[in-house]
Amino acid sequence: MLFDTAFNRSVWDVFGDVQRVLEQAATPAARAAYSAFGRDYPPVNVWTKDHAVAVSVELPGIDQDSIDIQVEGQVLTVSGKRHADLPEDAKILRRERGDLEFSRSIELPFAVDAKKAEARYANGVLLVVLQRLASDKPRKIKIKTD
Amino acid sequence: MSTETNTGSATAERRTLRPFADIVEFEDRYQIMVDLPGVTEDGLDVTIERNILTVRGSHSGHEPEGMQSLWREYEPADYERRFTLGNGIDREQVEAELKHGVLTLVLPKAENLQPQRIAVRNGE
């Protein structure tokens, strides 16, 4: 596994927009192709509300069976592949879309319950909704007074 | 004094991007596959005018409702791309299918490409 060591670790700040993102591109070619655009692939958006977090990824034409979603504590890992849906007996006139294998690990704002994860793939967009782990929720501590 | 909060509103101005496309040729047809993530059938517009085929897709705004944006690496975009068609395409028979955010266009080749022999009448 190769980590992008150029990325500096920053302190997790729940009130701000700071989030540490680990990115592993499975194939050097894919990484090179996409980073030509100066971006990590695939780009993700993270949403949150109360005790839920949602991650959306634009993945058109992905083989649904190949999508793998893993949750471990506070890290969500999404991986999958898209292989060419180009018919074999055809002559290729233009090729822009390409094959890809990807894997991205995203650090979430809180620990989530893997058993309550929901994932939907519609219109080429994968949306993963996760609920905060009950034991991770902040607890109010009663102040005892004498 | 009011402060503006970023709610990731879907009514914000969206960029229009040129989507990636693959073009292949079969013996009897051409096929174009265009990546249009987030576009639904309602937001998709495919038109042929003269010899230009235009694909327009507007993003359906799949942002989860009621949630706030925490980390944004991409903005949902609209898509537009034009293809110039040669004369060898039967425009009446063009088909389009949208699945998993990929638009597949099938463009059958016209049958009248075969040379036609013209009978010559004897004018005498």
Side-chain angles (χ1 to χ4, degrees), chain A residues 36-67:
Chain A
F37 294 95
R39 307 205 294 188
D40 294 335
Y41 188 85
V44 303
N45 284 351
V46 184
W47 312 81
T48 187
K49 186 194 162 105
D50 299 332
H51 298 292
V53 62
V55 177
S56 66
V57 198
E58 291 193 332
L59 297 171
I62 292 284
D63 182 11
Q64 205 161 330
D65 297 330
S66 80
I67 299 178

Side-chain angles (χ1 to χ4, degrees), chain A residues 45-46 91 93 96 104, chain B residues 22-23 25 70-71 73 81:
Chain A
N45 284 351
V46 184
K91 183 166 104 179
L93 300 179
E96 290 171 5
R104 261 198 92 162
Chain B
D22 290 339
I23 307 179
E25 179 180 359
L70 184 66
W71 180 260
E73 284 179 358
R81 186 146 176 187

Side-chain angles (χ1 to χ4, degrees), chain B residues 53-109:
Chain B
L53 185 148
T54 303
V55 175
R56 262 187 226 97
S58 62
H59 205 276
S60 60
H62 59 262
E63 271 64 54
E65 281 205 21
M67 295 186 101
Q68 286 204 313
S69 175
L70 184 66
W71 180 260
R72 227 182 220 293
E73 284 179 358
Y74 71 90
E75 287 289 335
D78 294 338
Y79 298 97
E80 184 172 316
R81 186 146 176 187
R82 289 188 175 79
F83 301 93
T84 303
L85 306 179
N87 285 326
I89 293 182
D90 187 348
R91 277 158 224 182
E92 309 286 314
Q93 304 290 328
V94 173
E95 282 171 15
E97 186 193 356
L98 183 62
K99 186 178 170 186
H100 291 330
V102 179
L103 170 69
T104 301
L105 297 163
V106 180
L107 306 133
K109 292 185 183 173

Side-chain angles (χ1 to χ4, degrees), chain A residues 9 15 22 29 55 61 90 126:
Chain A
R9 195 189 175 108
F15 299 104
L22 298 170
V55 177
L126 176 70

